[in-house]
Amino acid sequence: VEREKEIENFIPEKSYSLEIKLKKDSLTILSELYYKNKLYKTKNREELIKFCEEKLLNNLVNLKKVEEKTEKKSPPLPLKTTTLIETSQKILGYEPKQTMYYAQRLYENGYITYMRTDSVRVSDYAQRMAKEFIKLYFGEKFVGRERKIRQSKFVQDAHECIRPTDVFREEVPLSEQEKKLYQLIRTYFIASQMSPAEYLIKTYIFTNKNLGKDYFLKATFKNLLFEGFLKVLKGEKEEKEFIDLKAGEIFEILDWKIKEHITEPPSPYTSSTLIKKLESLGIGRPSTYATLLDILYKRKYVIKEKGYLRPTELGKEVCEYLIKSFPEFLDYKFTSQMEEDLEKVVENKKTYQEIISFNYEILKNYL
């Protein structure tokens, strides 16, 4: 309901930037106008046209500087319940309930580890097996180093990540949907244990006397040097052909275009992004995420519309009534603290009487 209000109250804003096509002999490249290391944007379209006509048209530009650096792209973390649900919905189109059902089947048949987990920890045994697999099929260079991972304060870490019990097992004799989910879990686990991908980034800075001190044209190109984990996790495409230039080269301005930028409202939640939000707030646990969504559907508080969750009128009314009538109980921090307190009862750090007494005192104010 809060997200729906954000979307309804959102006021889009327009701004404009300048794209310039540069030419030297048969080579053409696209650049953009920058000001003090930031893409130059203005809300005044005419101002940008005037700037272009006065400072750039019928002029040459000089390639003043070539900046070169290598950049690493880290592999994904091993899957946990929330990321399994998110990735499964994005790649396979499975709803959270479907994902957890298929994962349960894989777990019961001994093909994956426990699927209700909030941890990305990998056991020593699984790390050794993954290293052996990667070295055998891809070579030593593709074996990733151990990473230090900062986990959320809400993580219980009772179970390790979701991974195949045998990384060498390629297929499982189950339904087509379960096979696809197994392949996704296996692929992501292998990728998570591989080395980063490496790119060469070249940035070209063009200037001329008319532009002045703080304005310049910039073009960036990216070239994949080493695949790393992308060897198994395909999908990343290069946006443009890599071009190698040298400082001092002169280009003419061939053409220009005004680019319009419109700020976007927050996106409505999908099943997986709502679960991710709940996790970030410390609300719910891996064993309850799919059930929470089920309750929202069954009580007709939300409907699914073009893949997004939308609150119904009933959902809005119930939400507004509860917030107005029981503000303390509807506070996100209250729910998160309750989850923590219940964990402390399990760990014998608190008694259930303490928690009940504390909450009863709050409840008395509403009775």
Side-chain angles (χ1 to χ4, degrees):
V1 173
E2 285 178 354
R3 176 57 59 91
E4 199 70 16
K5 284 180 180 176
E6 286 175 29
I7 294 167
E8 287 169 3
N9 296 332
F10 181 80
I11 300 169
E13 291 183 1
K14 276 187 186 180
S15 62
Y16 304 92
S17 68
L18 192 60
E19 183 180 82
I20 301 102
K21 188 183 280 189
L22 305 176
K23 183 177 185 293
K24 184 193 177 188
D25 302 326
S26 60
L27 175 67
T28 60
I29 64 172
L30 292 176
S31 66
E32 291 184 292
L33 178 65
Y34 274 68
Y35 175 71
K36 289 186 175 179
N37 291 323
K38 286 187 178 180
L39 180 68
Y40 182 67
K41 289 183 183 179
T42 176
K43 292 181 180 179
N44 189 329
R45 193 173 189 276
E46 285 67 36
E47 176 195 313
L48 205 54
I49 294 170
K50 186 180 177 185
F51 180 95
C52 186
E53 289 172 345
E54 290 179 358
K55 308 280 187 181
L56 291 169
L57 288 188
N58 305 314
N59 273 299
L60 300 174
V61 290
N62 172 46
L63 177 50
K64 182 183 178 183
K65 194 194 317 182
V66 178
E67 296 173 351
E68 187 176 302
K69 65 175 182 178
T70 56
E71 187 178 89
K72 290 187 177 182
K73 181 179 174 69
S74 296
L77 292 172
L79 294 171
K80 54 183 178 176
T81 302
T82 50
T83 51
L84 174 66
I85 286 170
E86 181 184 11
T87 310
S88 173
Q89 185 166 57
K90 184 179 174 183
I91 296 174
L92 303 175
Y94 295 169
E95 282 298 308
K97 192 175 179 180
Q98 289 175 296
T99 298
M100 295 312 291
Y101 173 75
Y102 299 143
Q104 178 80 36
R105 291 268 299 139
L106 290 168
Y107 170 69
E108 287 171 354
N109 282 277
Y111 299 132
I112 64 167
T113 52
Y114 192 56
M115 66 288 158
R116 295 185 181 94
T117 177
D118 56 9
S119 176
V120 293
R121 175 174 53 83
V122 182
S123 69
D124 293 341
Y125 167 77
Q127 284 182 32
R128 287 196 305 272
M129 289 298 100
K131 185 176 180 179
E132 189 180 311
F133 178 90
I134 294 163
K135 196 188 292 186
L136 178 65
Y137 286 95
F138 306 109
E140 182 75 44
K141 197 177 178 184
F142 285 86
V143 176
R145 294 181 179 179
E146 193 169 344
R147 289 183 278 177
K148 286 184 179 178
I149 298 162
R150 286 184 64 190
Q151 303 229 59
S152 159
K153 66 175 183 175
F154 302 118
V155 171
Q156 294 173 297
D157 201 27
H159 305 279
E160 65 168 308
C161 69
I162 303 168
R163 60 169 179 83
T165 50
D166 179 3
V167 73
F168 287 87
R169 184 189 289 115
E170 294 182 14
E171 292 286 342
V172 293
L174 296 173
S175 72
E176 204 56 42
Q177 293 92 335
E178 289 152 357
K179 283 179 181 178
K180 285 179 181 176
L181 188 63
Y182 176 77
Q183 287 304 330
L184 185 142
I185 292 167
R186 182 172 179 263
T187 301
Y188 265 78
F189 175 67
I190 293 167
S192 75
Q193 302 304 298
M194 294 178 77
S195 50
E198 288 183 30
Y199 292 92
L200 173 65
I201 312 290
K202 277 202 172 185
T203 302
Y204 301 115
I205 307 295
F206 301 87
T207 59
N208 70 15
K209 289 179 182 178
N210 289 345
L211 277 173
K213 183 184 174 185
D214 295 318
Y215 290 93
F216 58 89
L217 305 182
K218 179 176 170 181
T220 303
F221 295 86
K222 187 176 178 180
N223 187 38
L224 183 64
L225 297 176
F226 175 64
E227 285 181 296
F229 75 94
L230 293 176
K231 189 85 174 172
V232 296
L233 209 58
K234 305 291 182 184
E236 182 149 320
K237 295 177 182 175
E238 295 304 321
E239 290 182 5
K240 42 192 172 181
E241 185 184 349
F242 191 75
I243 295 172
D244 202 7
L245 302 174
K246 289 181 173 58
E249 294 187 51
I250 306 296
F251 283 75
E252 63 177 295
I253 292 168
L254 185 64
D255 198 6
W256 59 277
K257 182 174 80 174
I258 301 288
K259 290 173 77 176
E260 185 178 80
H261 305 269
I262 303 174
T263 52
E264 296 281 341
S267 179
Y269 287 117
T270 62
S271 303
S272 59
T273 56
L274 177 60
I275 287 170
K276 199 171 182 180
K277 180 67 175 177
L278 291 173
E279 182 190 36
S280 72
L281 294 168
I283 297 171
R285 289 292 179 258
S287 57
T288 62
Y289 292 135
T291 311
L292 285 172
L293 279 171
D294 254 6
I295 291 169
L296 294 179
Y297 283 127
K298 282 176 183 174
R299 294 184 181 174
K300 295 183 171 54
Y301 293 158
V302 297
I303 55 169
K304 197 169 183 185
E305 197 175 89
K306 295 180 181 176
Y308 293 106
L309 300 178
R310 295 285 189 169
T312 60
E313 286 307 311
L314 174 63
K316 289 178 184 177
E317 287 174 18
V318 168
C319 188
E320 284 167 13
Y321 172 77
L322 291 173
I323 289 171
K324 186 179 177 182
S325 305
F326 308 101
E328 286 180 87
F329 289 112
L330 268 289
D331 189 285
Y332 295 131
K333 288 179 182 175
F334 174 85
T335 310
S336 175
Q337 187 59 52
M338 176 62 80
E339 297 271 10
E340 283 187 44
D341 286 340
L342 292 173
E343 293 302 330
K344 286 177 181 174
V345 172
V346 173
E347 295 165 1
N348 291 321
K349 291 179 180 176
K350 275 192 176 184
T351 65
Y352 98 94
Q353 286 92 347
E354 287 178 77
I355 298 168
I356 295 297
S357 299
F358 175 78
N359 288 293
Y360 180 68
E361 289 304 312
I362 299 173
L363 188 59
K364 277 202 302 189
N365 298 324
Y366 299 107
L367 297 176

mmCIF file of all heavy atoms in Angstrom, residues 156 285 337-357 359:
data_model
loop_
_atom_site.group_PDB
_atom_site.id
_atom_site.type_symbol
_atom_site.label_atom_id
_atom_site.label_comp_id
_atom_site.label_asym_id
_atom_site.label_seq_id
_atom_site.Cartn_x
_atom_site.Cartn_y
_atom_site.Cartn_z
ATOM 1 N N GLN A 156 20.406 -15.718 10.581
ATOM 2 C CA GLN A 156 20.541 -16.730 11.633
ATOM 3 C C GLN A 156 21.697 -17.691 11.352
ATOM 4 O O GLN A 156 22.307 -18.215 12.275
ATOM 5 C CB GLN A 156 19.237 -17.536 11.739
ATOM 6 C CG GLN A 156 18.052 -16.721 12.223
ATOM 7 C CD GLN A 156 16.776 -17.528 12.144
ATOM 8 O OE1 GLN A 156 16.348 -17.923 11.068
ATOM 9 N NE2 GLN A 156 16.174 -17.787 13.281
ATOM 10 N N ARG A 285 10.814 -15.041 7.769
ATOM 11 C CA ARG A 285 11.973 -15.927 7.735
ATOM 12 C C ARG A 285 11.891 -16.785 6.469
ATOM 13 O O ARG A 285 10.816 -16.882 5.856
ATOM 14 C CB ARG A 285 12.002 -16.816 8.985
ATOM 15 C CG ARG A 285 12.353 -16.093 10.285
ATOM 16 C CD ARG A 285 13.809 -15.622 10.265
ATOM 17 N NE ARG A 285 14.187 -14.913 11.485
ATOM 18 C CZ ARG A 285 14.289 -13.603 11.599
ATOM 19 N NH1 ARG A 285 13.970 -12.835 10.571
ATOM 20 N NH2 ARG A 285 14.695 -13.041 12.728
ATOM 21 N N GLN A 337 11.611 -6.607 15.711
ATOM 22 C CA GLN A 337 12.034 -6.880 17.095
ATOM 23 C C GLN A 337 11.361 -8.136 17.625
ATOM 24 O O GLN A 337 11.985 -8.931 18.336
ATOM 25 C CB GLN A 337 11.686 -5.675 17.989
ATOM 26 C CG GLN A 337 12.224 -5.772 19.414
ATOM 27 C CD GLN A 337 13.729 -5.906 19.475
ATOM 28 O OE1 GLN A 337 14.445 -5.110 18.879
ATOM 29 N NE2 GLN A 337 14.220 -6.917 20.179
ATOM 30 N N MET A 338 10.102 -8.334 17.265
ATOM 31 C CA MET A 338 9.382 -9.540 17.696
ATOM 32 C C MET A 338 10.076 -10.790 17.135
ATOM 33 O O MET A 338 10.236 -11.792 17.848
ATOM 34 C CB MET A 338 7.933 -9.478 17.220
ATOM 35 C CG MET A 338 7.121 -10.724 17.522
ATOM 36 S SD MET A 338 6.972 -11.076 19.293
ATOM 37 C CE MET A 338 5.663 -9.935 19.734
ATOM 38 N N GLU A 339 10.489 -10.732 15.868
ATOM 39 C CA GLU A 339 11.216 -11.862 15.263
ATOM 40 C C GLU A 339 12.490 -12.154 16.066
ATOM 41 O O GLU A 339 12.810 -13.307 16.361
ATOM 42 C CB GLU A 339 11.594 -11.536 13.809
ATOM 43 C CG GLU A 339 10.428 -11.318 12.874
ATOM 44 C CD GLU A 339 9.938 -12.602 12.219
ATOM 45 O OE1 GLU A 339 10.384 -13.696 12.632
ATOM 46 O OE2 GLU A 339 9.103 -12.499 11.304
ATOM 47 N N GLU A 340 13.215 -11.089 16.437
ATOM 48 C CA GLU A 340 14.456 -11.259 17.203
ATOM 49 C C GLU A 340 14.170 -11.847 18.579
ATOM 50 O O GLU A 340 14.898 -12.726 19.054
ATOM 51 C CB GLU A 340 15.175 -9.915 17.353
ATOM 52 C CG GLU A 340 15.904 -9.464 16.109
ATOM 53 C CD GLU A 340 16.746 -8.221 16.358
ATOM 54 O OE1 GLU A 340 17.444 -8.168 17.402
ATOM 55 O OE2 GLU A 340 16.687 -7.306 15.530
ATOM 56 N N ASP A 341 13.111 -11.347 19.217
ATOM 57 C CA ASP A 341 12.761 -11.842 20.561
ATOM 58 C C ASP A 341 12.407 -13.320 20.536
ATOM 59 O O ASP A 341 12.780 -14.079 21.440
ATOM 60 C CB ASP A 341 11.594 -11.031 21.138
ATOM 61 C CG ASP A 341 12.029 -9.633 21.569
ATOM 62 O OD1 ASP A 341 13.239 -9.426 21.770
ATOM 63 O OD2 ASP A 341 11.152 -8.764 21.714
ATOM 64 N N LEU A 342 11.682 -13.730 19.511
ATOM 65 C CA LEU A 342 11.299 -15.145 19.399
ATOM 66 C C LEU A 342 12.539 -16.023 19.222
ATOM 67 O O LEU A 342 12.601 -17.143 19.744
ATOM 68 C CB LEU A 342 10.326 -15.346 18.235
ATOM 69 C CG LEU A 342 8.934 -14.718 18.418
ATOM 70 C CD1 LEU A 342 8.114 -14.836 17.143
ATOM 71 C CD2 LEU A 342 8.182 -15.364 19.589
ATOM 72 N N GLU A 343 13.534 -15.491 18.493
ATOM 73 C CA GLU A 343 14.796 -16.232 18.342
ATOM 74 C C GLU A 343 15.493 -16.362 19.699
ATOM 75 O O GLU A 343 16.094 -17.395 20.012
ATOM 76 C CB GLU A 343 15.728 -15.522 17.354
ATOM 77 C CG GLU A 343 15.236 -15.514 15.914
ATOM 78 C CD GLU A 343 15.010 -16.901 15.344
ATOM 79 O OE1 GLU A 343 15.723 -17.843 15.768
ATOM 80 O OE2 GLU A 343 14.109 -17.060 14.510
ATOM 81 N N LYS A 344 15.399 -15.303 20.511
ATOM 82 C CA LYS A 344 16.036 -15.332 21.837
ATOM 83 C C LYS A 344 15.361 -16.332 22.771
ATOM 84 O O LYS A 344 16.008 -16.908 23.645
ATOM 85 C CB LYS A 344 16.021 -13.925 22.454
ATOM 86 C CG LYS A 344 17.038 -13.003 21.784
ATOM 87 C CD LYS A 344 16.969 -11.594 22.331
ATOM 88 C CE LYS A 344 17.976 -10.711 21.609
ATOM 89 N NZ LYS A 344 17.868 -9.302 21.999
ATOM 90 N N VAL A 345 14.064 -16.549 22.570
ATOM 91 C CA VAL A 345 13.358 -17.577 23.350
ATOM 92 C C VAL A 345 13.919 -18.950 22.989
ATOM 93 O O VAL A 345 14.200 -19.779 23.864
ATOM 94 C CB VAL A 345 11.830 -17.534 23.089
ATOM 95 C CG1 VAL A 345 11.137 -18.729 23.752
ATOM 96 C CG2 VAL A 345 11.231 -16.226 23.604
ATOM 97 N N VAL A 346 14.102 -19.182 21.696
ATOM 98 C CA VAL A 346 14.667 -20.455 21.222
ATOM 99 C C VAL A 346 16.064 -20.664 21.799
ATOM 100 O O VAL A 346 16.450 -21.772 22.177
ATOM 101 C CB VAL A 346 14.727 -20.476 19.667
ATOM 102 C CG1 VAL A 346 15.459 -21.717 19.160
ATOM 103 C CG2 VAL A 346 13.319 -20.418 19.083
ATOM 104 N N GLU A 347 16.846 -19.559 21.898
ATOM 105 C CA GLU A 347 18.227 -19.644 22.401
ATOM 106 C C GLU A 347 18.305 -19.569 23.923
ATOM 107 O O GLU A 347 19.397 -19.501 24.495
ATOM 108 C CB GLU A 347 19.049 -18.498 21.795
ATOM 109 C CG GLU A 347 19.200 -18.588 20.283
ATOM 110 C CD GLU A 347 19.684 -17.277 19.663
ATOM 111 O OE1 GLU A 347 19.914 -16.311 20.431
ATOM 112 O OE2 GLU A 347 19.798 -17.219 18.428
ATOM 113 N N ASN A 348 17.133 -19.555 24.605
ATOM 114 C CA ASN A 348 17.060 -19.456 26.078
ATOM 115 C C ASN A 348 17.661 -18.162 26.628
ATOM 116 O O ASN A 348 18.132 -18.114 27.762
ATOM 117 C CB ASN A 348 17.753 -20.659 26.743
ATOM 118 C CG ASN A 348 16.984 -21.949 26.533
ATOM 119 O OD1 ASN A 348 15.750 -21.954 26.585
ATOM 120 N ND2 ASN A 348 17.694 -23.031 26.257
ATOM 121 N N LYS A 349 17.622 -17.116 25.817
ATOM 122 C CA LYS A 349 18.109 -15.815 26.274
ATOM 123 C C LYS A 349 16.977 -14.948 26.816
ATOM 124 O O LYS A 349 17.205 -13.940 27.468
ATOM 125 C CB LYS A 349 18.812 -15.085 25.118
ATOM 126 C CG LYS A 349 20.124 -15.743 24.705
ATOM 127 C CD LYS A 349 20.771 -15.002 23.555
ATOM 128 C CE LYS A 349 22.072 -15.661 23.137
ATOM 129 N NZ LYS A 349 22.680 -15.009 21.942
ATOM 130 N N LYS A 350 15.743 -15.343 26.489
ATOM 131 C CA LYS A 350 14.547 -14.671 27.006
ATOM 132 C C LYS A 350 13.482 -15.714 27.264
ATOM 133 O O LYS A 350 13.508 -16.784 26.656
ATOM 134 C CB LYS A 350 14.015 -13.638 25.996
ATOM 135 C CG LYS A 350 14.663 -12.272 26.080
ATOM 136 C CD LYS A 350 13.881 -11.242 25.267
ATOM 137 C CE LYS A 350 14.478 -9.858 25.446
ATOM 138 N NZ LYS A 350 13.687 -8.829 24.751
ATOM 139 N N THR A 351 12.532 -15.375 28.136
ATOM 140 C CA THR A 351 11.397 -16.288 28.355
ATOM 141 C C THR A 351 10.195 -15.746 27.600
ATOM 142 O O THR A 351 10.105 -14.528 27.343
ATOM 143 C CB THR A 351 11.047 -16.385 29.850
ATOM 144 O OG1 THR A 351 10.588 -15.095 30.301
ATOM 145 C CG2 THR A 351 12.248 -16.834 30.662
ATOM 146 N N TYR A 352 9.289 -16.632 27.273
ATOM 147 C CA TYR A 352 8.116 -16.170 26.525
ATOM 148 C C TYR A 352 7.256 -15.274 27.393
ATOM 149 O O TYR A 352 6.565 -14.373 26.918
ATOM 150 C CB TYR A 352 7.349 -17.378 25.967
ATOM 151 C CG TYR A 352 6.162 -17.835 26.768
ATOM 152 C CD1 TYR A 352 4.892 -17.370 26.455
ATOM 153 C CD2 TYR A 352 6.309 -18.722 27.842
ATOM 154 C CE1 TYR A 352 3.796 -17.786 27.177
ATOM 155 C CE2 TYR A 352 5.213 -19.139 28.570
ATOM 156 C CZ TYR A 352 3.950 -18.669 28.251
ATOM 157 O OH TYR A 352 2.869 -19.073 28.964
ATOM 158 N N GLN A 353 7.322 -15.469 28.754
ATOM 159 C CA GLN A 353 6.548 -14.614 29.669
ATOM 160 C C GLN A 353 6.994 -13.148 29.570
ATOM 161 O O GLN A 353 6.170 -12.231 29.610
ATOM 162 C CB GLN A 353 6.711 -15.092 31.126
ATOM 163 C CG GLN A 353 5.957 -16.369 31.438
ATOM 164 C CD GLN A 353 6.816 -17.608 31.222
ATOM 165 O OE1 GLN A 353 7.880 -17.523 30.609
ATOM 166 N NE2 GLN A 353 6.354 -18.734 31.737
ATOM 167 N N GLU A 354 8.303 -12.945 29.436
ATOM 168 C CA GLU A 354 8.827 -11.566 29.301
ATOM 169 C C GLU A 354 8.242 -10.883 28.070
ATOM 170 O O GLU A 354 7.814 -9.728 28.132
ATOM 171 C CB GLU A 354 10.353 -11.597 29.157
ATOM 172 C CG GLU A 354 11.123 -11.938 30.405
ATOM 173 C CD GLU A 354 12.622 -11.985 30.109
ATOM 174 O OE1 GLU A 354 13.231 -10.909 29.989
ATOM 175 O OE2 GLU A 354 13.168 -13.101 29.972
ATOM 176 N N ILE A 355 8.233 -11.622 26.961
ATOM 177 C CA ILE A 355 7.754 -11.049 25.696
ATOM 178 C C ILE A 355 6.258 -10.784 25.756
ATOM 179 O O ILE A 355 5.788 -9.719 25.353
ATOM 180 C CB ILE A 355 8.087 -12.004 24.520
ATOM 181 C CG1 ILE A 355 9.608 -12.155 24.401
ATOM 182 C CG2 ILE A 355 7.518 -11.482 23.213
ATOM 183 C CD1 ILE A 355 10.053 -13.265 23.498
ATOM 184 N N ILE A 356 5.504 -11.753 26.286
ATOM 185 C CA ILE A 356 4.042 -11.598 26.392
ATOM 186 C C ILE A 356 3.708 -10.420 27.291
ATOM 187 O O ILE A 356 2.844 -9.587 26.973
ATOM 188 C CB ILE A 356 3.387 -12.890 26.941
ATOM 189 C CG1 ILE A 356 3.561 -14.051 25.957
ATOM 190 C CG2 ILE A 356 1.907 -12.660 27.247
ATOM 191 C CD1 ILE A 356 2.905 -13.857 24.617
ATOM 192 N N SER A 357 4.402 -10.301 28.428
ATOM 193 C CA SER A 357 4.125 -9.207 29.379
ATOM 194 C C SER A 357 4.379 -7.849 28.732
ATOM 195 O O SER A 357 3.569 -6.923 28.859
ATOM 196 C CB SER A 357 5.018 -9.336 30.620
ATOM 197 O OG SER A 357 4.752 -10.549 31.271
ATOM 198 N N ASN A 359 4.406 -7.036 25.541
ATOM 199 C CA ASN A 359 3.443 -6.732 24.482
ATOM 200 C C ASN A 359 2.022 -6.534 25.021
ATOM 201 O O ASN A 359 1.244 -5.782 24.451
ATOM 202 C CB ASN A 359 3.456 -7.838 23.428
ATOM 203 C CG ASN A 359 4.716 -7.793 22.587
ATOM 204 O OD1 ASN A 359 4.938 -6.864 21.824
ATOM 205 N ND2 ASN A 359 5.592 -8.788 22.752
#
